[in-house]
Amino acid sequence: MKNALELAAQVGEELKTRKLILTIAESCTGGGVAHAITEIAGSSEWFDCGFVTYSNSSKTELLDIPAALIAQHGAVSEEIAAAMAQGAIANSEAHISLSTTGIAGPTGAVPGKPVGTICFGWHVGGITHTERLVFSGDRQAVREQTVVHALDKLLRFVKEL
């Protein structure tokens, strides 16, 4: 399995080749995806910005997600992951985005959403894709798996363009 830095470097190469710019909206990863990306020298050529929207109000204020949508689906949902990815695009100079929202633990589980539940969003080629997974392990393990999966899937989407 590749690590986050390897994946970030590969994402960067693919984005540079296609002359595309990336933005990120993160909740449960707290900037972990942006950290991996900015560890890559030259990432300013293909990375615009990252939004760390940990609270519901920051999702509304920074990404234009209606509070009613969060109330209806919960912050940890594919609907909110999609809205985060779309909001990041709308509030940046980027062409492509990814988003993460979830329950890294050890607390925060609710019925139907155990610790480790992560929802992802990717906005690539004008289409928004979402996915919901449940990772195992402690808080750090869940967050690391989330960053790797988000970048790995983004790489696959970009290669398909």
Side-chain angles (χ1 to χ4, degrees):
M1 185 165 152
K2 294 179 182 173
N3 70 38
L5 294 180
E6 291 171 330
L7 288 165
Q10 291 177 338
V11 165
E13 288 303 315
E14 294 295 331
L15 291 172
K16 277 195 313 190
T17 298
R18 290 163 176 79
K19 296 182 177 21
L20 295 171
I21 305 296
L22 173 67
T23 186
I24 297 166
E26 300 182 71
S27 185
C28 62
T29 46
V33 179
H35 176 77
I37 285 169
T38 57
E39 284 290 303
I40 307 304
S43 59
S44 61
E45 293 178 51
W46 49 272
F47 179 59
D48 181 39
C49 63
F51 299 87
V52 178
T53 55
Y54 212 67
S55 69
N56 290 347
S57 62
S58 67
K59 289 173 181 65
T60 298
E61 293 168 19
L62 300 175
L63 299 174
D64 304 321
I65 299 172
L69 189 67
I70 297 171
Q72 180 181 1
H73 297 285
V76 179
S77 63
E78 289 184 70
E79 291 84 358
I80 298 306
M84 289 172 68
Q86 293 162 359
I89 289 284
N91 289 285
S92 72
E93 299 297 319
H95 310 100
I96 290 176
S97 66
L98 74 80
S99 66
T100 62
T101 183
I103 305 166
T107 61
V110 296
K113 295 178 185 177
V115 167
T117 301
I118 308 294
C119 294
F120 299 88
W122 299 270
H123 187 82
V124 181
I127 299 169
T128 303
H129 308 270
T130 63
E131 184 175 25
R132 176 183 160 156
L133 296 174
V134 179
F135 295 117
S136 60
D138 64 11
R139 181 178 180 81
Q140 181 178 347
V142 168
R143 288 166 51 124
E144 287 173 3
Q145 292 170 82
T146 301
V147 170
V148 167
H149 182 76
L151 289 168
D152 184 53
K153 194 90 173 226
L154 176 64
L155 180 61
R156 286 189 253 162
F157 283 129
V158 172
K159 284 183 172 184
E160 291 173 4
L161 289 176

